[in-house]
Amino acid sequence: MSEPVSRAEGGAENGTENGAESRAVGKFLRRMMPILVLMLLVNNLDRTNVGFVQDELQADVGISATAYGLGAGLFFIGYALFEVPSNMLLERFGARVWLTRIMITWGLVIVAMCFIHNVTTFYTLRFLLGVAEAGFFPGAMLYITQWLPDASRGRATAIFLGGSAAAGIVTGPVTGALLELHGAGGVAGWRWMFGLEGVFSVVVGIVAGFFLVSRIEDARWLTREEKDALGAAVAEDREARSRAPHTSRFKLLFHPQVALLTGAFFAMTLTGYAITFWLPSLIEDIGGLSSFQVGLLSAIPAVCSMIAMYSMSHFTDRAPDRRPYLAITLVLSATGTYLATLGSPWFGLAAITLAGVGSKCAATLFWPMAQSGLDLRIAAPGLALVNSIGNLGGFFSPTLFGYLKDTTGSTNGGLYTLSAASLLAVVAARFIRGARAASDPLLETSPEAHRKPGAGAQRRVVS
């Protein structure tokens, strides 16, 4: 057996393998990412549709702004409690079984929300929705790491997170249209909305079970050459992330880098979910708008965010360090939330759009850093831990906004808080050590870890 050589030195044979890997990555993006994007779109629609029925819940069930904010946030308590065990079960059962199980159960909980009749049932079902949904997002992130090497993950993550942005585009118009069913069959519009969207979630979950493929080896649409090339690329990344000195999983999970990742993501979710749950209410301040028109205007930040995310991902995948760009996007988010406290409701919509672009682009930069930086031994629980604790921002943000609206009649105090949190995340981003340029028990430690991004063509292979 000859000495390992780089692909750059390996001639036509290595060029062939590069081509096989590239084709395999392309097939994965075309075949698996659309269903993952659809699942994430439905996921975001189902967890945030409650933002469009705040007034209806207050009128029909007697839920105050404070109770609404608490109920919206309780989702994230159930989510955080069950996130880590759910992601570890995904490692055991595979994405095909576990992601579809998650989706079907959360769809059933959404259907049950048709029967909310008091504050207690509202609280209970929001909590159970978090329990049912726990593990979906970090599970999908883990799934991507099992299929793609680092050089291809930024693009895949941007495509996947596009489902979240797309949800912002379709949630408003779809939910607004369903609310127009109010009175049909003697049923309130918000009950129609929960029922139909929940049934759709169950159907998509069942369909996903026929499309998802858990392992590279099981993909019938890859040739043997493509399976070998892609498997070797992923295995090399896994090996590089496993070369750290022996450290217990417990110590790795409490490493300062995990804390920095969690804190930065917490700040992002504060802004993201404040926009999600309170944007319809802010738009209603414009006055004279129907539910459908409010939904259409609510899609503006998501459209702008999607364009910005895709444009940025193609550039930053080739950047030697994503941290400066993460800092810039967080500053944009802070600026937008601050400006939203000034001027007219129309100016506020423009400012919130800027904040949304900053928040979504920050997430697109953040997750490839977290995926590549975590030691392989804690990839599943680590991603889940960062996502679950970070997502508690989704509990604090709507709860704070609801309390401030009831006590002060304004949400400006909450917007100031979001600006401050985003600026603190800028500081945290400075100390997040990306896998491309660090040597650490959490990070890649092989010479390949220091290669420039996009250097997948220079991986070492055995000829």
Side-chain angles (χ1 to χ4, degrees):
M1 182 177 294
S2 62
E3 291 297 319
V5 296
S6 70
R7 291 189 180 187
E9 302 168 348
E13 179 182 344
N14 293 329
T16 300
E17 183 163 342
N18 286 335
E21 179 187 330
S22 178
R23 292 195 302 273
V25 169
K27 287 182 178 181
F28 175 82
L29 295 178
R30 291 191 299 271
R31 290 174 177 268
M32 294 293 99
M33 293 309 299
I35 188 65
L36 288 175
V37 168
L38 176 60
M39 293 172 78
L40 183 63
L41 187 154
V42 177
N43 173 263
N44 277 262
L45 184 151
D46 286 343
R47 72 162 63 174
T48 62
N49 53 18
V50 70
F52 291 85
V53 296
Q54 180 183 353
D55 292 340
E56 287 81 356
L57 290 174
Q58 183 170 4
D60 294 353
V61 187
I63 296 175
S64 67
T66 299
Y68 164 79
L70 177 59
L74 279 174
F75 165 91
F76 298 95
I77 300 298
Y79 193 81
L81 290 175
F82 290 88
E83 186 92 318
V84 173
S86 178
N87 220 35
M88 295 180 75
L89 287 170
L90 182 141
E91 275 196 308
R92 177 178 178 182
F93 293 106
R96 180 171 176 267
V97 171
W98 201 247
L99 292 182
T100 54
R101 190 287 304 166
I102 290 172
M103 189 167 194
I104 291 170
T105 52
W106 96 54
L108 294 174
V109 175
I110 289 292
V111 172
M113 291 184 73
C114 295
F115 306 102
I116 292 173
H117 59 276
N118 56 29
V119 172
T120 301
T121 55
F122 176 58
Y123 288 165
T124 301
L125 288 172
R126 284 294 297 178
F127 177 81
L128 289 177
L129 182 62
V131 173
E133 192 181 307
F136 173 75
F137 184 85
M141 290 288 101
L142 180 65
Y143 182 56
I144 290 173
T145 67
Q146 293 171 341
W147 272 83
L148 299 178
D150 179 62
S152 301
R153 284 185 207 136
R155 184 166 36 134
T157 301
I159 292 172
F160 181 60
L161 292 180
S164 177
I169 298 173
V170 304
T171 296
V174 169
T175 300
L178 293 178
L179 290 174
E180 299 290 341
L181 293 174
H182 182 73
V187 177
W190 63 271
R191 297 186 191 275
W192 276 113
M193 180 201 74
F194 283 131
L196 293 176
E197 290 181 357
V199 169
F200 181 67
S201 301
V202 173
V203 171
V204 172
I206 294 172
V207 171
F210 291 96
F211 282 90
L212 290 177
V213 179
S214 295
R215 303 185 308 156
I216 294 174
E217 280 296 314
D218 296 332
R220 297 180 180 178
W221 33 268
L222 292 178
T223 66
R224 171 46 57 187
E225 180 187 23
E226 290 165 349
K227 289 179 182 180
D228 291 344
L230 185 58
V234 173
E236 182 183 343
D237 276 2
R238 291 171 63 89
E239 180 184 359
R241 292 161 62 199
S242 299
R243 290 176 184 164
H246 178 73
T247 307
S248 71
R249 274 192 172 195
F250 181 81
K251 288 184 179 180
L252 287 171
L253 285 172
F254 285 91
H255 191 282
Q257 286 297 307
V258 175
L260 286 170
L261 289 168
T262 302
F265 188 55
F266 180 86
M268 294 178 212
T269 60
L270 280 175
T271 299
Y273 285 111
I275 295 173
T276 295
F277 289 119
W278 290 95
L279 180 60
S281 177
L282 295 173
I283 292 176
E284 286 173 357
D285 291 340
I286 294 173
L289 300 174
S290 68
S291 296
F292 184 66
Q293 290 171 325
V294 169
L296 286 176
L297 290 177
S298 298
I300 292 176
V303 172
C304 295
S305 297
M306 180 175 288
I307 295 171
M309 286 165 57
Y310 286 139
S311 300
M312 183 191 65
S313 67
H314 284 282
F315 175 73
T316 56
D317 262 2
R318 299 176 178 86
D321 191 350
R322 291 185 175 103
R323 289 175 297 178
Y325 302 98
L326 177 60
I328 291 170
T329 57
L330 289 168
V331 170
L332 287 178
S333 180
T335 302
T337 50
Y338 174 76
L339 291 177
T341 65
L342 310 173
S344 67
W346 284 107
F347 180 80
L349 175 60
I352 287 295
T353 299
L354 177 63
V357 168
S359 177
K360 291 293 185 183
C361 287
T364 303
L365 291 163
F366 173 83
W367 282 111
M369 294 170 63
Q371 288 170 316
S372 299
L374 289 174
D375 186 282
L376 184 62
R377 289 165 289 176
I378 61 160
L383 288 173
L385 185 67
V386 170
N387 190 60
S388 60
I389 297 179
N391 259 302
L392 287 177
F395 169 76
F396 289 104
S397 187
T399 302
L400 174 65
F401 269 64
Y403 173 77
L404 290 174
K405 186 172 183 180
D406 272 346
T407 56
T408 69
S410 172
T411 58
N412 284 355
L415 292 169
Y416 293 141
T417 302
L418 298 182
S419 294
S422 293
L423 292 177
L424 287 174
V426 172
V427 178
R430 168 66 181 81
F431 296 99
I432 292 174
R433 299 166 68 178
R436 290 173 174 172
S439 177
D440 184 276
L442 280 175
L443 305 173
E444 296 182 6
T445 56
S446 68
E448 287 86 355
H450 302 277
R451 68 180 181 266
K452 292 182 180 180
Q458 298 177 349
R459 289 192 186 92
R460 296 172 61 176
V461 296
V462 176
S463 59

